[in-house]
Amino acid sequence: MPVLSPTSSPSSSSLVFTCFFIILFVTINSSNPVAITTKAKRPPRQLSVNYYAKSCPQVEQLVGSITSQQFKETPVSAPATIRLFFHDCFVEVMQIIFNYLSVLTSACMQAHGCDASILIATQPGSKILAEKDAADNRDLRTEGFDTITRAKALVESKCPGIVSCADILAIAARDFIHLAGGPYYVVKKGRWDGKISMASRVPNNLPHANSTVDQLIKLFSSKGLTIQDLVVLSGAHTIGFAHCKNFVDRLYNYKGTKQADPAIDPRLLKALKMSCPQVGGNADIVAPFDVTTPFVFDHAYYANLQSKLGLLASDEGLFLDPRTKPLVQSFGLDKAKFFLAFSAAMEKMGSIGVKRGRRHGEKRKACSIHM
């Protein structure tokens, strides 16, 4: 089964060429638009809290039974699944929208986003790698994938062919946030699963450990997210871990200086160096993002940044930049404010590039296999 499409398997370059041709056609004719008559269509169904109220009313309880069990047995499932949701939502392909000639441009509007494309496995023998096999996703822990696989199997046994993998992932991420001590917020549902999963689209769509605040703001803005959303969603680093390779340069050769990053507390620097030597270390060693309460979803992450206890350069940079520093300080003082803002930002992020209807999406029976 192809990774790209159930009906065809065009290359990335052919898709880009097709879209370029359409853009050129529209540009040439922009001063004299072509009249196209189409039948009136109903607007796409919006995401809704009650989307499965009639078709699968017990979906949240079913997913919740899996997430609660996973949290007890393997607590790392929490940050693993939350990170999986972030990585799924942030990776988009191309989204070209015109106010007219929409019939011609519809083929170019397929974008990733919150569509569970991160869960699709690369097909044996395929030359096109799926998202999960991109270099930036190879450190995603199996516990996150296992949680969704188990939840999907249970939901399918009760409501076959009804609930998308994308909605299950969104619900599971919310569950784990709450189980770890974070806010409980309602999850709007109605996402369809994406038909495209391409590793080549990942690198430019995810934040990196050494991203500057300028780069982060630009990336988040491209997803329709604000500077506050950036700071708020970064607060998910209140739980979880990172491998040494993501911050080792801060310890020994920050920005090519052959010195440690001066924005690291000396005690943290010493501890990290003991775990992460400059060369020859264990590639499996990890360190917590939040060194004070690594297993609790709280607002300690922001206090840590103010004390030079941020693990990644991209995290600590939020306190050093005047555009984001006031937000770090504000959330560090008020957990309730952070929780409220985080809930709103998760709903906003969870709406990025959602698919609706069979024309743009599908309902996979197994989340790793594109139909």
Side-chain angles (χ1 to χ4, degrees):
M1 296 181 185
V3 173
L4 284 176
S5 169
T7 56
S8 60
S9 55
S11 67
S12 174
S13 59
S14 65
L15 179 62
V16 171
F17 176 80
T18 301
C19 291
F20 173 77
F21 177 80
I22 292 171
I23 295 170
L24 182 63
F25 180 85
V26 171
T27 302
I28 292 173
N29 291 278
S30 60
S31 60
N32 186 24
V34 178
I36 297 179
T37 303
T38 60
K39 293 182 179 180
K41 295 184 297 182
R42 289 187 304 171
R45 192 172 182 181
Q46 300 299 307
L47 296 183
S48 167
V49 173
N50 299 316
Y51 187 85
Y52 298 112
K54 294 182 179 180
S55 57
C56 190
Q58 71 274 44
V59 59
E60 298 217 13
Q61 288 74 26
L62 294 171
V63 175
S65 67
I66 298 297
T67 52
S68 59
Q69 183 180 3
Q70 287 283 100
F71 189 70
K72 291 176 182 177
E73 296 177 355
T74 53
V76 74
S77 298
T81 306
I82 296 166
R83 187 182 179 198
L84 198 59
F85 186 50
F86 275 66
H87 281 226
D88 184 49
C89 289
F90 260 67
V91 174
E92 298 181 272
V93 183
M94 57 186 66
Q95 203 165 20
I96 304 170
I97 301 173
F98 294 101
N99 292 328
Y100 60 89
L101 293 180
S102 58
V103 173
L104 290 176
T105 60
S106 62
C108 296
M109 291 173 63
Q110 285 191 312
H112 290 214
C114 306
D115 64 355
S117 54
I118 186 69
L119 304 176
I120 295 176
T122 301
Q123 297 303 309
S126 174
K127 294 181 180 180
I128 302 175
L129 295 179
E131 278 178 53
K132 67 181 297 184
D133 292 320
D136 289 317
N137 285 331
R138 287 175 188 159
D139 286 340
L140 292 174
R141 294 187 63 97
T142 59
E143 290 85 354
F145 294 97
D146 292 343
T147 295
I148 306 306
T149 298
R150 292 183 60 191
K152 176 63 173 176
L154 180 59
V155 171
E156 280 293 307
S157 71
K158 305 295 183 181
C159 309
I162 300 297
V163 183
S164 67
C165 299
D167 277 340
I168 290 174
L169 179 54
I171 295 168
R174 184 278 314 279
D175 285 354
F176 279 126
I177 288 165
H178 185 59
L179 287 166
Y184 182 91
Y185 54 90
V186 296
V187 174
K188 292 183 178 180
K189 298 168 283 290
R191 302 166 186 81
W192 285 57
D193 298 325
K195 300 179 181 181
I196 301 173
S197 186
M198 299 172 64
S200 61
R201 302 302 181 183
V202 172
N204 294 327
N205 279 289
L206 290 178
H208 296 99
N210 61 350
S211 293
T212 66
V213 174
D214 280 337
Q215 291 169 333
L216 291 172
I217 290 175
K218 183 178 180 180
L219 174 62
F220 275 66
S221 177
S222 72
K223 313 299 177 187
L225 300 172
T226 65
I227 291 178
Q228 174 168 307
D229 294 328
L230 160 62
V231 177
V232 169
L233 292 172
S234 295
H237 280 177
T238 184
I239 58 174
F241 303 83
H243 288 83
C244 293
K245 66 180 182 180
N246 291 301
F247 54 85
V248 69
D249 283 351
R250 291 191 76 201
L251 311 182
Y252 302 100
N253 189 28
Y254 181 62
K255 292 185 176 180
T257 62
K258 296 185 179 180
Q259 300 291 325
D261 183 351
I264 302 181
D265 179 275
R267 296 167 298 172
L268 177 61
L269 177 62
K270 181 178 179 180
L272 292 176
K273 281 187 171 181
M274 291 177 64
S275 299
C276 303
Q278 188 170 13
V279 293
N282 185 339
D284 294 327
I285 295 294
V286 296
F289 289 118
D290 178 348
V291 298
T292 54
T293 57
F295 297 100
V296 180
F297 196 102
D298 55 19
H299 66 319
Y301 165 83
Y302 298 106
N304 292 342
L305 299 187
Q306 297 174 67
S307 300
K308 295 186 175 183
L309 296 176
L311 182 64
L312 305 182
S314 57
D315 286 329
E316 195 60 48
L318 297 177
F319 180 64
L320 300 176
D321 192 286
R323 293 167 293 182
T324 49
K325 180 176 180 178
L327 291 166
V328 170
Q329 293 172 317
S330 178
F331 294 134
L333 292 172
D334 193 336
K335 183 169 76 171
K337 182 178 181 180
F338 165 54
F339 278 11
L340 188 63
F342 187 83
S343 299
M346 286 294 284
E347 178 180 333
K348 192 173 178 180
M349 186 189 76
S351 299
I352 295 175
V354 296
K355 311 292 182 298
R356 301 187 187 95
R358 298 188 183 281
R359 183 177 180 184
H360 300 293
E362 63 185 2
K363 298 285 183 73
R364 294 182 221 134
K365 293 185 181 298
C367 295
S368 63
I369 303 174
H370 163 47
M371 296 167 62

